[in-house]
Amino acid sequence: MTDQHAPFEAPRYGTAFETLAIHAGQEPDAATGAVVPPIHQVSTFKQDGVGGLRGGYEYSRSANPTRTALEENLAALEGGRRGLAFASGLAAEDCLLRTVLSPGDHVVIPNDAYGGTFRLFAKVAVKWGVKFSVADTSDPAAVRAALTDRTKVVWVETPSNPLLGITDIAALSGIAYGTEALLVVDNTFASPYLQQPLALGADVVVHSTTKYMGGHSDVVGGALVVNDEALAEELAFHQNAMGAIAGPFDSWLVLRGIKTLAVRMDRHSANAARIAEMLSSHPRVSKVHYPGLPGHPGHEVAAKQMRDFGGMVSFQVADGEEAAVAVCDRAKLFTLGESLGGVESLIEHPGRMTHASAAGSALEVPADLVRLSVGIESVDDLLADLRQALG
Ligand SMILES: *Cc1c(COP(=O)(O)O)cnc(C)c1O
C-alpha cells in the first residue's frame, strides 16, 4: 500500500505555484476522464485475490484515492517529498508530536501561538512526560538559549497567532542544524503561496487546512509536509496507527479550495494592507500588528521570506478591553467568529475567544486586542464597516 505515495515528480505542465495548485495530484480520472478527482466515499476496496490490491488501496484509514490526491498536492505546493492529511490541524500536530517525542524529551514553543497548540503542549503532552520551554522565537539567541540536550522540536508559528510576530525561519534552521531538534513551522497564516518553510530549512510544515487552504469556512482539516523520507515513513505509520485521517469528502473540499489559493491570497493581502493602513491612523486604535507595515519589528524578515504579508491583522483599541469587545459587537460585515482564512471577513476578541486557554500563561494576549481575518469582499465595504464599528 505504498506505491500510490510515490514522491511528487515535477509534471509535464510546469511547476509554477498556480499551476501546481490546480493540477498536482489531480490527473483526470483514469477510468472516466473526470477532470476533478472523484470523492471516493468508501471504506474498503475489492482485492483481486488475497493481497491483490488495485493501485495499492485496501482500507481507507490506510489510504484513500481522494486523500492521496490531496496529499500529493500538499507535497507539491510546499516543495516537500510527502504530504499527510489529517482530520484537523490539531490531529496533525498530535500525530507529529507522538511520532517524534518520547517521555523526557523537550520542546521549545513560541511565546505567541495558536491557543490550541499551546494547550496541546501544556495540558496534554506534559502528561506524557514531555517538557517545554517558552521562547521568543523572533529572537534566534533566545531560541538557542532555550535548547537542552533533550530538545527534539523547535516549534515556530510565523506569522504568529494572534500578534502577527515574525520568526526568521532560515536563522532558526541554522541553530537547529547539527542538534537533534526538528524545526517545525506552522505555516497556516501564510499558506504555501506566501511562504515555503522547507526551502528555508524547516524540517516539518504544519497546516490547519481549515483556514486558507480550504478557504471557504466549510471544512476542518490538517496537514504535515516533510522532505525526509524516513521521517515521512514514520509519520505515515503513525497516521495509520492512530487514525485521525482526513475523510474523502473533507479531502475533496480542501483540494477544491486550494485551486484558488493563489488568487485568494493576493486579494486577502491587498485588502489587509489597506485596512492596516487605515487602522494605523485611526484615533481609537493604539497599535496595529501587521507585518506589512514598515514599523512592524518583523517587517524586513517577512519581506525576505514571504511573497506578501497575508490577510490577518490585529489591533489594540485605545480605550481598553470593554471598548475592544464593543468593536467586535458593532461590526456587521465582519462576522463575529473564531477561525480565519475564509473568503468572508471575521472579527474576534482573542483574549475571550480563541486564546482564552492561554490566560495566565506566558502566551496570554493583550485584553484590548481585536483580531481580523480580512476576507476578499470589497475593501471599501470592509473599511466602512470597521470605521462604524470603531465609532
Ligand atoms: C486553527 C489553527 C490550528 C489548529 O487547527 P484546527 O484545524 O482547528 O485543528 C493550528 N495552528 C494555527 C495557526 C491555527 O490557526
Side-chain angles (χ1 to χ4, degrees), residues 10-52:
R12 59 189 155 69
Y13 41 70
T15 54
F17 186 94
E18 295 84 344
T19 306
L20 292 177
I22 294 166
H23 294 288
Q26 304 179 72
E27 285 300 312
D29 183 51
T32 64
V35 169
V36 169
I39 305 170
H40 289 274
Q41 193 67 46
V42 64
S43 59
T44 192
F45 299 82
K46 173 178 162 52
Q47 304 190 9
D48 297 319
V50 175

Side-chain angles (χ1 to χ4, degrees), residues 257-308:
I258 285 172
K259 288 178 194 292
T260 55
L261 181 65
V263 288
R264 284 188 287 109
M265 293 315 295
D266 282 340
R267 179 65 72 88
H268 283 297
S269 300
N271 283 359
R274 287 277 307 279
I275 284 169
E277 192 184 276
M278 182 279 280
L279 292 171
S280 300
S281 59
H282 197 286
R284 314 221 29 193
V285 172
S286 57
K287 187 160 187 192
V288 181
H289 304 264
Y290 185 64
L293 293 172
H296 185 284
H299 176 68
E300 269 158 42
V301 172
K304 182 182 72 173
Q305 70 187 13
M306 298 176 74
R307 186 198 295 252
D308 203 339

